[in-house]
Amino acid sequence: MKTWLRTAVALCLGLTCMAGPAASAQDFPDRPVRLVVPFPAGGTTDILARLLGNALSAKWSQPVVVENKPGASGTIFSEQLARSAPDGYTLMVTATHHVINPALYKNLRYDTRTDFTPIALVAAVPNVLVVNPAFPAKTVAELIAYAKANPGKVNFGSAGTGGANHLSGELFKSMTGVDMVHIPYKGAAPALNDLLGGQIRVMFDSVPGVLQHIKAGKLRALGVTSLTRSPALPDVPTLDEAGVKGFEATAWFGLYGPGNMPADLTARLSRDVLAALQSPEIKQQFALQGAEPGTMTQPQFAQFVNAEMDKWAKVIADAHITIQ
């Protein structure tokens, strides 16, 4: 091959290689995308992921296949995602557990800060502080006063040690200086049953999980854990409004890819997800789950993830929470 021809071929190949990442982002996706939920089917994470997957499939004109890969509070598939190719074809929708797990599990075989690419906040669901109607406290201030007058005699239930509703209670204890006893259950349903039956007095749970009981008068709502009131409970103050200044402990759900995803592909995914989340259809569907679609940019979400990791690590350390 003549020298000029070899040079031209080399130059063309070089330009093709240089254009590769940009082309992959521009043309993404050209085949089905896996959207994995590291929890069982039927839960809030799964429902939101399927709604998002349907919207993205319509936008991309490619199938978005939602798979459930549960185990160990989401850590089993998280490890698999961390080892996956950063090409955008394997993504994960997971819950607040993702940023809590690093402080709970000391032997994770991945680094949550570096082995994943935070792409978008999918949704946030506030928890609500509820009490059995027979409990004397009718406001947050009365609960704090009662707990301080009766240290160690007020118990609060949760779906299990280290979950978002457990840590909401621990954050409340830390910020108010009250001494309440945590009672872990194997899931939210048995904890809620005991709250309704009066075996436990207090619980933090998701708004969708307790809304009907509140409306029926079977539970009393004292405050929601978001910084703004829940549209589903407009007459219930936030804990911040009720005097626990700065309190925020929402359950939230995020979209992640493997670490080291190309910046242009990450930006493309973030834009497409945000556009899908702002559609009237998604807003209506999420509202039925008591969820508010995310609005953060990708850099904002990445900062939020790191801040949440720091916050919950402190709560876990202060409460001396361990997972056996």
Side-chain angles (χ1 to χ4, degrees):
M1 185 182 295
K2 294 183 179 180
T3 300
W4 68 268
L5 182 57
R6 285 198 301 268
T7 302
V9 169
L11 179 60
C12 288
L13 287 174
L15 291 173
T16 301
C17 292
M18 290 173 63
S24 67
Q26 182 179 353
D27 299 336
F28 178 90
D30 59 11
R31 60 183 188 274
V33 175
R34 293 175 70 213
L35 191 59
V36 180
V37 176
F39 305 112
T44 304
T45 312
D46 179 63
I47 293 170
L48 297 176
R50 291 180 187 276
L51 293 172
L52 176 62
N54 289 339
L56 291 176
S57 180
K59 184 174 185 61
W60 290 337
S61 300
Q62 287 286 348
V64 176
V65 182
V66 178
E67 301 177 17
N68 297 92
K69 300 287 185 181
S73 194
T75 62
I76 292 177
F77 181 75
S78 293
E79 181 181 347
Q80 296 177 29
L81 181 69
R83 309 289 178 256
S84 299
D87 56 10
Y89 288 95
T90 300
L91 303 170
M92 176 176 73
V93 174
T94 190
T96 320
H97 302 64
H98 189 65
V99 297
I100 294 172
N101 287 336
L104 287 176
Y105 297 93
K106 304 305 180 186
N107 297 312
L108 292 181
R109 291 188 286 186
Y110 55 81
D111 186 325
T112 305
R113 293 188 189 272
T114 60
D115 288 343
F116 304 95
T117 300
I119 297 170
L121 176 67
V122 175
V125 178
N127 287 327
V128 56
L129 171 58
V130 288
V131 299
N132 185 284
F135 189 64
K138 292 181 171 57
T139 66
V140 172
E142 289 180 5
L143 170 60
I144 294 171
Y146 183 91
K148 286 185 175 180
N150 299 273
K153 295 182 180 180
V154 178
N155 50 33
F156 75 98
S158 80
T161 300
N165 52 5
H166 170 208
L167 295 186
S168 293
E170 296 294 348
L171 182 62
F172 181 80
K173 288 170 56 179
S174 174
M175 294 182 68
T176 61
V178 300
D179 178 13
M180 299 194 305
V181 178
H182 173 230
I183 309 294
Y185 288 80
K186 293 182 178 179
L192 181 57
N193 286 338
D194 274 7
L195 179 66
L196 291 167
Q199 285 80 20
I200 56 176
R201 319 291 294 277
V202 178
M203 186 173 173
F204 287 85
D205 201 2
S206 67
V207 169
V210 295
L211 183 59
Q212 294 307 315
H213 297 299
I214 294 170
K215 289 184 175 180
K218 296 179 180 179
L219 293 175
R220 180 186 300 132
L222 302 186
V224 294
T225 63
S226 50
L227 288 176
T228 57
R229 295 195 181 197
S230 168
L233 294 168
D235 296 328
V236 178
T238 67
L239 285 166
D240 177 80
E241 289 175 327
V244 189
K245 294 301 181 183
F247 189 101
E248 182 180 20
T250 57
W252 55 269
F253 308 86
L255 178 68
Y256 300 82
N260 298 315
M261 285 181 61
D264 56 349
L265 178 58
T266 302
R268 163 72 192 277
L269 285 166
S270 176
R271 288 195 302 270
D272 287 354
V273 170
L274 285 178
L277 293 176
Q278 294 310 305
S279 71
E281 294 80 9
I282 282 283
K283 288 183 176 181
Q284 181 180 20
Q285 292 167 335
F286 276 29
L288 295 175
Q289 304 301 319
E292 298 182 11
T295 58
M296 293 183 186
T297 65
Q298 191 277 328
Q300 288 172 335
F301 180 54
Q303 292 176 357
F304 173 74
V305 168
N306 285 329
E308 284 283 284
M309 287 181 64
D310 293 339
K311 178 173 79 175
W312 293 122
K314 184 178 186 306
V315 171
I316 289 166
D318 289 347
H320 306 291
I321 301 169
T322 58
I323 296 291
Q324 302 299 326

